[in-house]
Amino acid sequence: MGRTEDQVMTSWVPGACTLPTVDQPLRQAEFDDVFAESGRCVERTADTAVRVEFEPAAAVAARLADLAMRECSCCSFFGFTLRMSDGRLLLDVEVPAAHLPVLDALAARATSAIPGARA
């Protein structure tokens, strides 16, 4: 039996996360906010990778870089690559196969938060 979207969206935080439990909803909200405010689209680029396109603005890039660095400090399995290409701001997110449910949850949250986005 497959997972429902609600189950995917609630499986965001892995057991290996070292962020204090009380701070985890706050971090999720930070991701949700940047997706909703500046996200443009979500693309699955590989089984273990997702690309999110954002408004190409320096403030958005700085916000994403800060968020990615803080996320890697508590969930070191994430690989984030932030880049500008052809006037697009792209955040590539990769995880090992063992953490695929976390990536699925991130993609689902991004897709839900970005108006009109589809995964």
Side-chain angles (χ1 to χ4, degrees):
M1 179 176 188
R3 293 179 292 168
T4 67
E5 185 173 332
D6 287 341
Q7 288 170 322
V8 170
M9 299 227 358
T10 59
S11 66
W12 164 269
V13 182
C17 182
T18 62
L19 188 66
T21 304
V22 69
D23 293 332
Q24 292 172 3
L26 301 174
R27 180 69 53 81
Q28 287 179 355
E30 286 185 83
F31 273 99
D32 290 346
D33 289 347
V34 74
F35 292 146
E37 294 168 12
S38 305
R40 291 193 168 167
C41 64
V42 180
E43 174 187 0
R44 193 69 174 233
T45 56
D47 288 343
T48 58
V50 169
R51 174 174 294 148
V52 184
E53 182 177 346
F54 292 89
E55 173 189 337
V60 176
R63 186 176 177 189
L64 289 168
D66 175 65
L67 189 54
M69 289 183 64
R70 288 185 291 124
E71 188 62 20
C72 282
S73 72
C74 63
C75 294
S76 61
F77 59 84
F78 272 118
F80 292 100
T81 304
L82 182 61
R83 63 190 171 94
M84 284 289 300
S85 178
D86 296 324
R88 299 166 63 206
L89 179 60
L90 306 170
L91 179 66
D92 291 316
V93 184
E94 295 182 60
V95 299
H99 293 287
L100 192 54
V102 178
L103 184 67
D104 291 344
L106 176 84
R109 291 186 81 86
T111 301
S112 293
I114 298 172
R118 295 176 195 213

